[in-house]
Amino acid sequence: MVRAVVFDVGETLIDETRIFSRWADRLDVPRGTFLGLVGACAATDRPLADAFALARPGLDLGGEIDRWALEDPAGLRENFDADDLYADVRPALAALREAGLAVVVAGNQPPQARAALEAMDLPVDSIRTSDEWGVEKPAPEFFARVAELAGHPASQIAYVGDRLDNDVLPAADAGMRPVLIRRGPWGYWHATRPEAARVDVVDSLHELLALLTR
């Protein structure tokens, strides 16, 4: 029986369209082009950093982020806020909590992401980031920390994410129930792959309550 549901962040809770669009403007490439490069990385199993390298060869991504922060300290830049939440997030998470399930957010995110998520006052029990833990998905250590945070054995935890490789297959290997949400560049591609037969696939977070409480 599932007693806790843990959520990835990007393209699971957060629609990253505005983030990638701001990056396209920053790199001076058409938005459609940059979004296409992101999709190409998803389709070919290349790291997201390759989209930036293709758009701007030789780019020092960390240095660019630092320069951007100096130029626009009050702007969102590469970050997100409540306007980027998918519409199903609040009601779906609230329904899970009302059903007695623990609801946790834990994903590969920089340090400022936790504050951004906490400012949204989401109906969750805990929020943590890989930066805080010093370990990133798909490392088994990350999922061990997830189980510790959720307060239940891995067999009683569902992990919801938009990627097979980084999210749900490593969660399955850790003994958790894997749920792939089919949205975002990775989600759509990964739902078509043979490995998706190992996981539950949903098109909306609204489907989780019925799926996990049968």
Side-chain angles (χ1 to χ4, degrees):
M1 179 180 294
V2 170
R3 299 188 181 277
V5 189
V6 183
F7 293 87
D8 174 46
V9 179
E11 292 304 335
T12 300
L13 304 181
I14 297 295
D15 180 348
E16 296 178 316
T17 302
R18 291 202 309 161
I19 299 172
F20 291 138
S21 295
R22 288 194 299 271
W23 265 117
D25 296 344
R26 177 75 183 178
L27 299 176
D28 196 26
V29 296
R31 291 184 175 189
T33 297
F34 190 68
L35 291 169
L37 292 173
V38 172
C41 288
T44 58
D45 296 326
R46 295 176 67 165
L48 179 59
D50 284 4
F52 293 86
L54 289 166
R56 177 88 68 81
L59 175 71
D60 173 8
L61 185 56
E64 191 66 25
I65 290 173
D66 291 342
R67 284 188 293 274
W68 200 0
L70 288 173
E71 295 170 16
D72 185 20
L76 275 178
R77 306 183 310 278
E78 82 281 15
N79 302 307
F80 55 79
D81 64 14
D83 288 341
D84 297 301
L85 279 175
Y86 277 105
D88 59 358
V89 172
R90 289 188 189 277
L93 270 56
L96 291 167
R97 287 189 88 192
E98 288 169 8
L101 299 174
V103 179
V104 174
V105 177
N108 285 355
Q109 291 291 321
Q112 66 270 26
R114 180 176 175 181
L117 289 163
E118 288 177 340
M120 299 176 196
D121 194 26
L122 296 171
V124 301
D125 298 290
S126 301
I127 298 171
R128 294 292 187 276
T129 67
S130 56
D131 184 83
E132 295 176 76
W133 286 341
V135 61
E136 294 187 346
K137 296 178 294 183
E141 294 81 5
F142 180 93
F143 292 94
R145 296 299 295 269
V146 165
E148 181 181 323
L149 179 65
H152 292 282
S155 60
Q156 297 178 1
I157 298 170
Y159 192 90
V160 184
D162 65 301
R163 295 180 60 157
L164 289 173
D165 56 350
N166 244 28
D167 299 332
V168 297
L169 291 183
D173 291 340
M176 299 177 185
R177 182 166 180 177
V179 182
L180 178 73
I181 184 158
R182 196 174 70 94
R183 64 184 175 201
W186 279 264
Y188 278 100
W189 279 112
H190 286 194
T192 68
R193 295 186 172 181
E195 304 96 300
R198 290 183 56 194
V199 310
D200 292 307
V201 179
V202 298
D203 290 308
S204 167
L205 298 184
H206 289 306
E207 299 174 40
L208 291 175
L209 182 60
L211 175 69
L212 301 177
T213 59
R214 287 173 185 162

